[in-house]
Amino acid sequence: MFDEETLKVLLAEFLAENRESLDQIERGILALEMDPENMELLNTVFRHMHTVKGNCRMMEFSRLEELTHAAENLLDLLRERKITAHQGNCGVLLGILDTVRHTLDGIERSGSEGNPDFSRPIQALERLTRGGDSGSTSLLVPDCGPGDSSEPADSALPCRDAEPERERSGGSGLQTVRLPIEKLDALMNMVGELGSAFNQLRYALHHGTTAGDTVLEGMETRIHQLQDEVLKYRLQPIDTIWEPLHRLVRDLAMETGKKAILDIQGGETEMDRNVLLTLKECMGHLLRNAIDHGIEPPHEREVAGKSILGHVRLHAEQRHGQIFIEVSDDGRGLDVEKIRTKAIELGLLDAEQARHHAEEEVFRVIFEPGFSTVGQVSKISGRGTGMDVVKNAMTRLNGTIAISSQLGRGTQFRFRIPQTMAIVPSLLLGSGDGQYAVPQANIVELISYFGADVQRHVEKRLHGFMVRIRDRLFPLLPLDQILHAPLHGNHSPQTPALQTRSACHVVLLRAEGGEFALAVEKIADPIALVVKPMLRLFSHLTILSGTALLPDGSVAFLLNVGELCQLQSHVPPPVTSRG
């Protein structure tokens, strides 16, 4: 038999591999509900279930082996087309997955399988393999009764009320990093090269040779490579927490008698594990609200001229060291007047002032603890706590939330979250005594004008300054004045007009809103910055998206190019000069 240390390692590997396989099985089963004739999916699900069964046998968890073997028999009949992968059969298999996950959680805590009674789910599976009624899944999801929660492995089945616990335990891989051995070898090689370069540098300094600069350049390159690799290992795609939400949407839709599907875009967007862990807390609440309050029942959607299948959409992307996430649905939307009335009734808004609040200001009331316009509390929502959790999560992440909604058309939540840590190739700029940086990805061109060329190319227009670059006029934003306004109020500092300066350095930038130019006092060197999020004290300064420590020990601020573009969105777009 294995010694204790070896058994601990094997158990950790057993749990990690089986949880990954169960996730794959769940994704496959959910896809089979939409495409029951897909043999490739069936074969994939069968292989993963076979892996789980084999792992249970290897670790001598005989009861789990028996349960997964029964599930494997049902999948084999599906592969042979003796039964079909309709919603009833898929529901039973999903219930089995919950049972296995529940038992694995107990094994993780106690180190043993315990004495679970799997007779009921096994009998249900055997009945299906004999061609019995596949529509009843209640055997697999019983109501919760009293029991000792410290021994979950003794209960064969999960309960409905344990669903939030399943959501919390999902994505457990966020706490650990599994790396192929070749990646560890690559890290060791980098560390070895750094050690060798350090010895060369010490030798050069000790003996006064001229090789020190060359060695330093080599060390800098290796350090950047090492930084890149280590940061990559902290990043995971947002799909890690989004993929399990397909199951949540399916179960919520079935429970509420609605038809809904989850659409995911940008699931490959990589985020720091700490950010993902916090986001995980609020995603379930947003989807619960979308299904319970947003998506209408099929007959209502049909009357409204909509497809009976409601869509909930998740979209993510990374821009300029920040994560942008959208959660939207095509449901009934938010009733701004209903929210306004309820907020006044609860004393959250002043009756007189509330009449003049813009829609988005009124919508923000839904984040207040205990706020709900639902008259009846359900198992899914209605207590007014979910959106409060979302708001608190964004506060911890120094993120922002914007809401837009159209009655009868749907609702959209837009989140902007700073990446916990990222390496951004940047260009350093000087303004006053401060140093700022812009991502190189946003830079179109760098131009410097001196003497009379400043007057020829910089023009004062009604809405501000413009700069002429090869017969095109672009909005020109003086960086010193932009930075001064949010820090000291709206009054511009007493600086010379741009046209009268002896030199004007221009950075032409591109953002989603178009192209514009930034006037700076100095253009310094390109540099790869390890960007950290802004302190909460400065989180209201949206034109700044992060901070970075420079080689001399000073701090540089990373400029948010998208916000700078919006800042002067009233400036006319670039035009072509005719003469």
Side-chain angles (χ1 to χ4, degrees), residues 176-245:
T176 59
V177 182
R178 303 181 71 198
L179 296 177
I181 192 67
E182 58 267 20
K183 289 195 173 183
L184 287 177
D185 288 342
L187 281 178
M188 284 299 298
N189 287 336
M190 290 180 193
V191 173
E193 290 173 0
L194 275 175
S196 176
F198 176 78
N199 289 333
Q200 293 175 29
L201 180 61
R202 181 165 56 184
Y203 179 86
L205 292 174
H206 184 71
H207 292 84
T209 68
T210 58
D213 290 342
T214 303
V215 175
L216 275 176
E217 290 178 6
M219 287 184 71
E220 181 183 21
T221 300
R222 293 182 181 94
I223 288 172
H224 287 159
Q225 291 173 344
L226 187 59
Q227 281 180 326
D228 288 339
E229 288 301 310
V230 172
L231 286 179
K232 283 178 187 175
Y233 300 155
R234 281 191 58 86
L235 300 178
Q236 277 196 346
I238 198 171
D239 258 349
T240 307
I241 62 171
W242 276 4
E243 276 296 330
L245 297 177

Side-chain angles (χ1 to χ4, degrees), residues 428-491:
L428 284 180
L429 309 172
S431 177
D433 295 330
Q435 296 189 84
Y436 302 88
V438 290
Q440 291 185 25
N442 296 107
I443 298 175
V444 178
E445 190 173 358
L446 303 176
I447 308 167
S448 293
Y449 298 112
F450 300 94
D453 282 342
V454 176
Q455 287 77 32
R456 279 197 293 267
H457 290 85
V458 177
E459 303 179 13
K460 182 71 172 70
R461 296 294 179 99
L462 178 63
H463 294 285
F465 292 105
M466 305 286 285
V467 62
R468 186 183 302 277
I469 301 176
R470 286 187 293 278
D471 294 331
R472 294 187 71 198
L473 286 172
F474 294 89
L476 181 62
L477 312 181
L479 181 59
D480 51 2
Q481 296 182 26
I482 291 171
L483 293 169
H484 192 275
L487 290 173
H488 305 287
N490 293 323
H491 301 290

Side-chain angles (χ1 to χ4, degrees), residues 368-541:
E368 294 297 324
F371 182 86
S372 177
T373 58
V374 180
Q376 185 175 359
V377 176
S378 69
K379 288 183 178 180
I380 298 174
S381 61
R383 298 188 185 276
T385 57
M387 300 310 292
D388 181 35
V389 172
V390 174
K391 178 184 175 183
N392 290 336
M394 288 301 108
T395 300
R396 292 200 302 275
L397 292 174
N398 292 325
T400 62
I401 309 173
I403 310 172
S404 59
S405 184
Q406 194 172 352
L407 203 59
R409 301 292 296 273
T411 304
Q412 183 182 66
F413 292 88
R414 298 183 302 279
F415 303 91
R416 188 184 66 198
I417 305 165
Q419 179 65 280
T420 300
M421 186 178 288
I423 294 180
V424 181
S426 308
L427 179 71
L428 284 180
L429 309 172
S431 177
D433 295 330
Q435 296 189 84
Y436 302 88
V438 290
Q440 291 185 25
N442 296 107
I443 298 175
V444 178
E445 190 173 358
L446 303 176
I447 308 167
S448 293
Y449 298 112
F450 300 94
D453 282 342
V454 176
Q455 287 77 32
R456 279 197 293 267
H457 290 85
V458 177
E459 303 179 13
K460 182 71 172 70
R461 296 294 179 99
L462 178 63
H463 294 285
F465 292 105
M466 305 286 285
V467 62
R468 186 183 302 277
I469 301 176
R470 286 187 293 278
D471 294 331
R472 294 187 71 198
L473 286 172
F474 294 89
L476 181 62
L477 312 181
L479 181 59
D480 51 2
Q481 296 182 26
I482 291 171
L483 293 169
H484 192 275
L487 290 173
H488 305 287
N490 293 323
H491 301 290
S492 298
Q494 298 300 315
T495 55
L498 286 179
Q499 307 101 309
T500 63
R501 295 183 185 180
S502 59
C504 182
H505 305 288
V506 175
V507 182
L508 185 60
L509 298 168
R510 179 182 291 119
E512 281 188 356
E515 294 181 348
F516 68 99
L518 200 62
V520 299
E521 294 180 15
K522 182 176 66 174
I523 297 176
D525 300 322
I527 187 172
L529 296 176
V530 179
V531 178
K532 298 184 179 181
M534 297 287 292
L535 294 175
R536 189 171 300 175
L537 179 65
F538 303 108
S539 59
H540 64 286
L541 300 177

Side-chain angles (χ1 to χ4, degrees), residues 153-169:
D154 290 341
S155 173
L157 303 168
C159 60
R160 291 187 187 276
D161 292 339
E163 186 176 19
E165 182 179 350
R166 188 181 74 232
E167 289 173 29
R168 286 192 297 269
S169 63

